[in-house]
Amino acid sequence: MLWLLRNVGKAVIVAEGATELVGLDPLLICHPCSFCLFALAGSCNSCEGINESVLCLFQMRDLKAVGKKFVHVMYPRKSSALLRDWDLWGPLVLCVSLALMLQGGSADSKDDGGPQFAEVFVIIWFGAVVITLNSKLLGGTISFFQSLCVLGYCVMPLTVAMLVCRLVLLAGAGTVSFIIRLIVVGAMFAWSTLASTAFLADSQPPNRKALVVYPIFLFYFVISWMILTFTPQ
Amino acid sequence: MATADDLKFQEFDDAANLLAANPDATTISIDEPVEIPKNQHSHRQEPGREEDDELLGTDDSDKTELLAGQKKSAPFWTFDYYQTFFDVDTYQVLDRIKGSVFPVPGKNFVRLYIRSNPDLYGPFWICATLVFTIAVSGNLSNFFIHLGKPTYRYVPEFRKVSIAATTIYAYAWLVPLALWGFLMWRNSKVMNIVSYSFLEIVCVYGYSLFIYIPTAILWIIPQKVVRWVLVVFSLCVSGSVLVMTFWPAVRDDNRRIAVATVATVLLLHALLAVGCLAYFFDAPELDIPAPIIPAHNGTTVITKSH
């Protein structure tokens, strides 16, 4: 129960931090302990620098944790660091940047253009939630937010692919550029899927691994398709 | 010679009291013969119904129904209740998919593969895969059809994904709901041999949609004949799975209602296939004679584009 409160508290803080980034009380963000939901008005003993400005929001500790997770995704090994200290900052940043980069394609046609910002956002987060629920219903032992954290961080290779695609499209939009984009997106798709499988596969029952891996494959395939079919204005 | 007393009516005491008076008397006990409950189905066995056994799997259907009653005992607001619907292993899902793609004539899909363990994994993820397959294949097919034209600009057509998702999930969940309600209503009027639970019907519909996934990929080929052959073939395969499942459930009913029910099931299935083909895949153009191009040696060449 205590664990649940702690993690729900973390999630609420992260969710609130995502939407009200500027106007949020630094007391709420800096407080790492579990009962800050109930201690909003009180003073916080363990938060150093209670009177500091919003810089308290991005403590160096948190930034280092996020950075370490990015490195773990680049070189996926079976380490539990990504799973233990989950956070949703990295996935949020990746998702927003990917959705922003997917804008600007066929902007004039309302009907048949690329995905809107909200659509990309919903697909990534709703897809991650559905996959997590699926793995938990099949008997997985991983926690809800840990799984969301892994799936979100493993979108990073695809975000890099999107960046490369936009740069290649600046040079031209012919067949050669399409082949380059196809190879890059294909490689990053394989990397994402393998990275997330490496982290998540151990927590699944052994005779249901394929049932859990297939939705992850489908998820990254859909994101790769959105990246590959991006056509600039 | 019997005395007058012997011929008078006597009331006999309880057996215990009599035995207490005379412990050495021989005793006989008569028990009621125990009624062994016969298998209900055997009462209705007629010579022409042997195929029922194969279709229904009567030898273990009683046992599996008992087991099913014991399984889902968690209340519906707990997570464990929903976990019972995902109690399948990889090989079971693959077996069910194989059974929907290669229907054995005369075998009921529900009795043979599902066996009172309906899962929601198959229906949900097959529908999700089908949604994205149709959207992606439709987009690719339109791209290849319109490729050479100078006025064509490629658009990803992302709106169609939401339309595909709404259509396919509505079909895979609302049609089983309607069919289940209809079967329950007829069940109250006519005593059917077979009645399916709602989840078993959802399961059959979900797995029967699997054949449309490779069909949608093959629909990229821009030939009308090929596409219609694929429609007919996939409709036969998945339609036969549905017919062999639902015919035993409505056979005892009024003949016209039974035929109408099965015909409606097949008609809706066909409507889904044809509707997806018509909406997501542009019609491949017929052969149009292109403008006359003068060749090198002076003769004119008419080229055809398709």
Side-chain angles (χ1 to χ4, degrees), chain A residues 63-76 82 87 89-95 97 152-157 159-160 191 199:
Chain A
L63 269 182
K64 274 192 204 151
V66 170
K68 215 191 313 190
K69 289 201 195 60
F70 277 130
V71 171
H72 273 295
V73 173
M74 294 297 289
Y75 303 107
L82 195 68
D87 73 90
W89 282 115
L92 181 69
V93 164
L94 287 170
C95 178
S97 55
Y153 270 103
C154 289
V155 170
M156 192 189 67
T159 310
V160 167
W191 196 339
F199 288 120

Side-chain angles (χ1 to χ4, degrees), chain B residues 260-277:
Chain B
T261 308
V262 173
T264 311
V265 163
L266 281 178
L267 189 68
L268 286 173
H269 215 62
L271 214 60
L272 179 78
V274 172
C276 282
L277 178 62

Side-chain angles (χ1 to χ4, degrees), chain B residues 19-248:
Chain B
L19 261 182
N22 191 1
D24 288 334
T26 54
T27 55
I28 305 173
S29 65
I30 303 174
D31 286 323
E32 293 267 348
V34 175
E35 286 280 300
I36 300 170
K38 289 207 167 96
N39 192 349
Q40 280 181 345
H41 306 296
S42 63
H43 283 306
R44 297 201 207 111
Q45 282 287 350
E46 291 165 19
R49 293 271 178 106
E50 279 91 19
E51 69 264 22
D52 268 3
D53 282 346
E54 285 187 340
L55 279 173
L56 301 176
T58 46
D59 36 344
D60 57 348
S61 67
D62 286 342
K63 206 169 22 167
T64 48
E65 277 165 23
L66 273 176
L67 284 174
Q70 292 167 3
K71 246 185 25 169
K72 299 173 180 34
S73 55
F76 69 90
W77 55 83
T78 58
F79 189 72
D80 292 336
Y81 177 74
Y82 298 101
Q83 242 177 342
T84 56
F85 302 138
F86 284 78
D87 193 16
V88 278
D89 292 336
T90 308
Y91 77 92
Q92 281 176 314
V93 172
L94 290 176
D95 270 347
R96 291 174 186 193
I97 291 177
K98 219 170 20 175
S100 77
V101 174
F102 303 114
V104 180
K107 297 276 190 200
N108 186 337
F109 181 79
V110 173
R111 289 292 172 231
L112 193 59
Y113 289 103
I114 299 190
R115 288 178 180 273
S116 297
N117 185 20
D119 69 302
L120 286 181
Y121 178 90
F124 183 79
W125 288 109
I126 289 178
C127 288
T129 311
L130 186 61
V131 164
F132 289 113
T133 310
I134 285 188
V136 168
S137 305
N139 199 228
L140 267 180
S141 147
N142 292 349
F143 173 70
F144 286 131
I145 285 178
H146 299 297
L147 187 49
K149 293 193 202 138
T151 55
Y152 174 68
R153 197 170 57 87
Y154 171 75
V155 283
E157 291 176 325
F158 205 74
R159 284 288 170 280
K160 294 200 169 172
V161 173
S162 2
I163 297 173
T166 313
T167 313
I168 289 174
Y169 274 99
Y171 178 80
W173 289 83
L174 294 183
V175 171
L177 185 66
L179 189 59
W180 174 75
F182 177 75
L183 286 179
M184 285 294 116
W185 174 57
R186 296 308 299 175
N187 207 8
S188 66
K189 300 204 162 180
V190 175
M191 195 59 191
N192 283 339
I193 302 177
V194 169
S195 65
Y196 297 120
S197 73
F198 171 62
L199 282 171
E200 286 173 346
I201 300 183
V202 166
C203 226
V204 170
Y205 264 87
Y207 281 103
S208 73
L209 285 177
F210 179 81
I211 187 71
Y212 286 131
I213 296 175
T215 307
I217 296 176
L218 288 175
W219 273 343
I220 296 179
I221 301 174
Q223 298 293 331
K224 245 189 180 153
V225 173
V226 169
R227 286 181 177 180
W228 281 101
V229 163
L230 284 168
V231 167
V232 168
F233 174 71
S234 58
L235 200 56
C236 283
V237 170
S238 57
S240 68
V241 171
L242 291 177
V243 165
M244 282 192 291
T245 303
F246 292 113
W247 182 245

Side-chain angles (χ1 to χ4, degrees), chain A residues 95 115 117-129 219 222-223 226, chain B residues 132 158 161:
Chain A
C95 178
F117 182 91
E119 283 174 344
V120 177
F121 217 79
V122 161
I123 282 185
I124 292 183
W125 285 103
F126 186 66
V129 165
F219 176 63
V222 169
I223 299 179
M226 287 196 295
Chain B
F132 289 113
F158 205 74
V161 173

